[in-house]
Amino acid sequence: MILEKVLVVYMKGGEATLKVVKKVIKDYQIKTIVKERNSINIKDFKQIDLVIAIGGDGTFLRTSHYIENIPHMGVNSNPKKKEGFFMRTTKVNFKKNFERLLSEKYKVVN
């Protein structure tokens, strides 16, 4: 998968996970836009190749309302406290899962 621009939406309290996600994406020299989940709007999703939601299922679901034909990846910022049904990735395995996404070695779940 070729990514030119990624939108990262995070929930307050997820800054430690956000830091990891931003570093990994920066290592690949991909343009990144970061928005706190309460400040997103439809314009933020224009010309985006991937949306990464950091938080819990609520953040993932909130971003999903703006997405049409854009891949969507969820990163659970607190797996001990957040349900994370849609958020199988954490800051611990983000790099590995992001690399799998880039190399197209992943499974799409609808």
Side-chain angles (χ1 to χ4, degrees):
M1 172 180 285
I2 297 173
L3 300 176
E4 292 182 19
K5 190 160 53 167
V6 173
L7 173 62
V8 177
V9 178
Y10 73 98
M11 182 177 164
K12 288 182 182 175
E15 288 81 6
T17 303
L18 175 62
K19 184 177 178 180
V20 170
V21 168
K22 284 172 44 177
K23 184 192 181 317
V24 170
I25 296 171
K26 183 180 179 183
D27 289 347
Y28 284 94
Q29 299 177 348
I30 298 168
K31 182 176 180 167
T32 307
I33 298 167
V34 178
K35 300 282 287 199
E36 198 277 323
R37 86 174 204 171
N38 290 324
S39 69
I40 60 174
N41 65 62
I42 192 68
K43 294 176 189 173
D44 297 320
F45 294 81
K46 297 211 182 293
Q47 299 179 340
I48 296 294
D49 300 308
L50 173 68
V51 174
I52 299 175
I54 300 172
D57 285 343
T59 303
F60 188 89
L61 291 171
R62 177 173 263 180
T63 56
S64 74
H65 294 283
Y66 297 95
I67 295 174
E68 188 174 320
N69 299 319
I70 303 171
H72 193 192
M73 181 179 194
V75 183
N76 192 329
S77 61
N78 191 347
K80 292 182 180 176
K81 293 187 178 181
K82 295 187 181 293
E83 184 66 33
F85 180 80
F86 300 109
M87 318 289 268
R88 303 277 167 95
T89 298
T90 65
K91 69 180 179 181
V92 173
N93 64 4
F94 177 77
K95 182 175 181 174
K96 179 182 93 174
N97 288 344
F98 189 72
E99 288 171 348
R100 288 177 64 208
L101 181 77
L102 292 175
S103 64
E104 299 185 5
K105 295 180 181 175
Y106 61 91
K107 181 172 123 179
V108 175
V109 179
N110 292 332

